[in-house]
Amino acid sequence: MSASLSRRSLLALAAGSLAAPRARAAAGAKLKIGLLLPFSGTYAALGVNIADAMKLAAREHGGKLGGREIEWVQVDDESDPAKAPGNVNRLVVGEKVDILTGPVHSGVAMAMMQIVRQEKTLTIVTNAGAQAVTGTLCAPNVFRTSFSNWQVSYPCAEVMLKAGHKKAILMFWNYSFGQESMAAFKEGYSKGGGSIVKEIAVPFPNTEFQANLSEIASLKPDAVFVFFAGAGAAKFVKDYADAGLKGKIPLYGSGFLTEGVLGAAGPAAEGIKTTLHYAETLDNPANKKFREAFKKATARDADVYAVAGWDTIQALAQALDKVKGDTGAQKELIAALESVRLDSPRGAFRFSKAHNPVQDIYLRQVKGGQQVVLGVAQKGAEDPAAGCNLGK
Ligand code: PHB
């Protein structure tokens, strides 16, 4: 963002001279959708898949939502929370997007929340699992199509305990998602009688894991539960095997550990069990159609990140049809989003009262280079949404 644009925009904001949302939704005007996503860095592949799936879904709707042609405005957020306020303002204040989507990184999402709560921009979070998005900072104008970190981490505790793993080491990237993911896991693990041998926090996005892996080998826990994602997850899975731990100390995590990284991780990923709200092998017609369309359009295999992008557009398509594309009718548009029901590639999808998906969490295992579904770890998982009261 140019510094002058941001200053000008902020001055305009202060003077209260920005157009109200209703005035912006001029009849026949293009629907501006902002994408705040990482297109560089360790989460780049995640951002690309979300964006590509959104655009693919939009093409399937004839390039229009609610009768309005779409104009995409995308910003590379670099998964950098420090740059997030500037990047969000560039889309919200500078570009005046009708709808803001993204990000991947929870720290970026926290900065985004501060601004969109104030500006009342209709926002759909397409990955970041930060609890506050649909918890303490929840807002009528903010929805999430992905997950909360509690949803994908808590159920893994019972899975590990059932397998007889009573002593675990936790290892994670040390920012909000990793911290909250570990807290959710520990809640379930200690309830079921498990104990934590050691917590290893790694600065994001560092991938120097060797010293920590030696420590894990010497401490000999029953199992290890981790949060890493994207390129860092592929490196971790390979390093774990190279350190001789694979086959000796079972490795678990929320599904991001193996999602979208099987090609890069290769045989090192075989056998790893994870919990997530999606698996590529889910046998339902919506998943089949989605995966075929994504492969055809991108020559890549779809993953959980692409699912969130796809569903974001499906949800918007349903809701915008109801209000005939009038994003200025925000109250009605929010009500329409709240009543969205999707036949998602992940299974049945609806928003909770806090605007987070209510969804099944699957136990998956990597077998033959694929995520095979072993069962449902938690049926209809609904985030506790602590601290959220949208008055319903
Ligand atoms: C997050 O920061 O919320 C996050 C990032 C990458 C993932 C999952 C969650 O794969």
Side-chain angles (χ1 to χ4, degrees):
M1 170 173 57
S2 79
S4 62
L5 169 63
S6 98
R7 257 196 310 277
R8 228 183 19 246
S9 308
L10 291 171
L11 280 175
L13 234 191
S17 64
L18 283 175
R22 182 176 282 278
R24 286 185 224 152
K30 284 192 177 174
L31 179 73
K32 255 195 186 187
I33 301 184
L35 295 95
L36 180 74
L37 288 168
F39 296 109
S40 59
T42 198
Y43 289 158
L46 289 56
V48 169
N49 271 10
I50 293 170
D52 284 357
M54 286 177 70
K55 291 175 186 172
L56 170 64
R59 283 200 297 278
E60 304 237 326
H61 289 279
K64 288 183 177 181
L65 294 177
R68 289 169 69 182
E69 217 176 290
I70 301 168
E71 181 183 343
W72 307 99
V73 191
Q74 59 190 52
V75 166
D76 179 5
D77 70 25
E78 302 170 54
S79 290
D80 185 347
K83 293 183 184 161
N87 285 332
V88 174
N89 272 325
R90 183 163 149 200
L91 290 167
V92 168
V93 182
E95 293 284 346
K96 296 185 180 56
V97 295
D98 296 297
I99 298 165
L100 180 62
T101 69
V104 164
H105 188 289
S106 277
V108 174
M110 295 300 283
M112 178 198 225
M113 288 303 290
Q114 307 296 342
I115 296 171
V116 300
R117 276 164 60 89
Q118 195 172 323
E119 295 298 308
K120 310 268 187 282
T121 314
L122 188 79
T123 300
I124 305 210
V125 173
T126 53
N127 182 74
Q131 291 298 126
V133 168
T134 54
T136 49
L137 291 180
C138 77
N141 56 307
V142 178
F143 290 76
R144 175 155 57 193
T145 49
S146 49
F147 54 86
S148 75
N149 55 39
W150 182 91
Q151 285 182 307
V152 295
S153 308
Y154 179 87
C156 205
E158 199 181 307
V159 168
M160 283 170 60
L161 288 167
K162 269 195 190 149
H165 308 315
K166 297 252 165 21
K167 290 189 174 151
I169 287 183
L170 310 182
M171 191 165 162
F172 54 99
W173 266 328
N174 194 18
Y175 72 93
S176 49
F177 186 85
Q179 293 153 3
E180 292 178 355
S181 170
M182 297 304 134
F185 174 83
K186 279 195 281 184
E187 184 194 331
Y189 203 57
S190 58
K191 222 186 264 173
S195 62
I196 306 297
V197 177
K198 171 129 199 166
E199 295 189 34
I200 302 172
V202 180
F204 175 84
N206 282 12
T207 54
E208 288 308 319
F209 302 126
Q210 268 76 10
N212 303 127
L213 293 172
S214 304
E215 194 183 6
I216 291 174
S218 69
L219 287 172
K220 297 190 180 56
D222 295 342
V224 178
F225 177 82
V226 302
F227 165 64
F228 296 106
K235 168 105 175 14
F236 181 82
V237 165
K238 276 194 287 189
D239 285 2
Y240 198 85
D242 289 347
L245 294 174
K246 184 175 166 54
K248 287 199 184 125
I249 304 175
L251 177 60
Y252 291 82
S254 54
F256 310 114
L257 180 62
T258 51
E259 196 66 12
V261 306
L262 294 184
E270 281 294 304
I272 295 178
K273 288 182 187 164
T274 59
T275 45
L276 200 66
H277 52 287
Y278 178 69
E280 71 238 35
T281 53
L282 281 176
D283 188 14
N284 68 61
N287 192 34
K288 192 164 184 285
K289 177 184 170 236
F290 159 71
R291 297 195 66 81
E292 280 172 9
F294 190 85
K295 181 88 183 193
K296 197 165 165 227
T298 65
R300 299 189 308 274
D301 286 316
D303 56 14
V304 73
Y305 308 106
V307 172
W310 176 267
D311 285 347
T312 296
I313 294 299
Q314 307 301 356
L316 282 171
Q318 267 188 29
L320 284 164
D321 266 355
K322 277 200 187 156
V323 299
K324 300 194 172 46
D326 184 2
T327 41
Q330 201 184 64
K331 229 173 128 202
E332 293 81 355
L333 180 52
I334 287 170
L337 277 167
E338 286 171 340
S339 65
V340 157
R341 296 289 178 277
L342 292 182
D343 198 6
S344 160
R346 74 187 87 176
F349 174 107
R350 67 181 170 86
F351 290 111
S352 69
K353 284 187 182 137
H355 295 174
N356 193 61
V358 179
Q359 53 195 348
D360 291 347
I361 304 296
Y362 305 99
L363 173 61
R364 311 121 35 98
Q365 184 171 30
V366 181
K367 288 187 190 174
Q370 277 197 314
Q371 316 277 355
V372 173
V373 178
L374 300 183
V376 176
Q378 193 166 345
K379 184 92 195 138
E382 181 165 350
D383 184 86
C388 173
N389 183 2
L390 291 181
K392 275 168 287 181

Coordinates of all heavy atoms in Angstrom, one line a residue, residues 111 137 143 167 199 228 256 309-311 368 375:
A111 N -5.7 -9.0 13.6 CA -5.6 -7.6 13.2 C -6.8 -7.3 12.3 O -7.3 -6.2 12.4 CB -4.3 -7.4 12.4
L137 N -14.2 -12.0 20.0 CA -14.3 -10.8 19.1 C -15.4 -11.0 18.0 O -15.4 -10.3 17.0 CB -13.0 -10.6 18.4 CG -11.8 -10.1 19.2 CD1 -10.5 -9.9 18.3 CD2 -12.1 -8.7 19.9
F143 N -18.1 -14.0 9.4 CA -18.4 -15.5 9.3 C -17.1 -16.2 9.1 O -16.1 -15.6 8.6 CB -19.4 -15.8 8.2 CG -20.8 -15.3 8.4 CD1 -21.1 -13.9 8.3 CD2 -21.8 -16.2 8.8 CE1 -22.4 -13.5 8.6 CE2 -23.1 -15.7 9.0 CZ -23.4 -14.3 8.9
K167 N 1.2 -40.4 27.7 CA 2.3 -39.3 28.0 C 2.7 -38.7 26.7 O 3.2 -39.4 25.8 CB 3.5 -39.9 28.7 CG 3.2 -40.3 30.1 CD 4.4 -40.7 30.9 CE 4.0 -40.9 32.3 NZ 4.9 -41.9 33.0
E199 N 6.5 -29.3 26.5 CA 5.9 -28.5 25.4 C 7.1 -27.8 24.7 O 7.8 -27.1 25.4 CB 4.9 -27.4 26.0 CG 3.7 -28.1 26.6 CD 2.6 -27.0 26.9 OE1 2.5 -26.0 26.2 OE2 2.0 -27.2 27.9
F228 N 2.0 -27.9 12.8 CA 2.8 -27.3 11.8 C 1.9 -27.4 10.5 O 1.0 -28.2 10.4 CB 4.2 -27.9 11.5 CG 5.1 -27.8 12.7 CD1 5.3 -28.9 13.5 CD2 5.7 -26.6 13.0 CE1 6.1 -28.8 14.6 CE2 6.5 -26.5 14.2 CZ 6.7 -27.6 15.0
F256 N -3.7 -30.4 9.5 CA -2.8 -29.5 8.7 C -1.4 -30.1 8.6 O -0.7 -29.8 7.7 CB -2.7 -28.2 9.3 CG -4.1 -27.6 9.6 CD1 -4.5 -27.4 10.9 CD2 -5.0 -27.5 8.6 CE1 -5.8 -27.0 11.2 CE2 -6.3 -27.0 8.9 CZ -6.7 -26.8 10.2
G309 N -12.3 -22.3 0.4 CA -12.5 -21.3 -0.7 C -13.7 -21.6 -1.4 O -14.5 -20.7 -1.7
W310 N -13.9 -22.8 -1.8 CA -15.1 -23.3 -2.6 C -16.3 -23.0 -1.8 O -17.3 -22.4 -2.3 CB -14.9 -24.8 -2.8 CG -16.0 -25.5 -3.5 CD1 -17.0 -26.2 -2.9 CD2 -16.2 -25.7 -4.9 NE1 -17.8 -26.8 -3.8 CE2 -17.4 -26.5 -5.1 CE3 -15.5 -25.3 -6.1 CZ2 -17.9 -26.9 -6.3 CZ3 -16.0 -25.6 -7.3 CH2 -17.2 -26.4 -7.4
D311 N -16.4 -23.4 -0.5 CA -17.6 -23.2 0.3 C -17.9 -21.7 0.5 O -19.0 -21.3 0.7 CB -17.5 -24.0 1.6 CG -17.6 -25.5 1.4 OD1 -18.1 -25.9 0.3 OD2 -17.3 -26.2 2.3
G368 N -0.9 -45.2 1.6 CA -0.7 -45.2 0.2 C -0.7 -43.8 -0.4 O -1.2 -43.6 -1.5
G375 N -12.7 -42.9 10.6 CA -14.0 -42.8 11.3 C -14.3 -41.3 11.6 O -13.5 -40.4 11.2

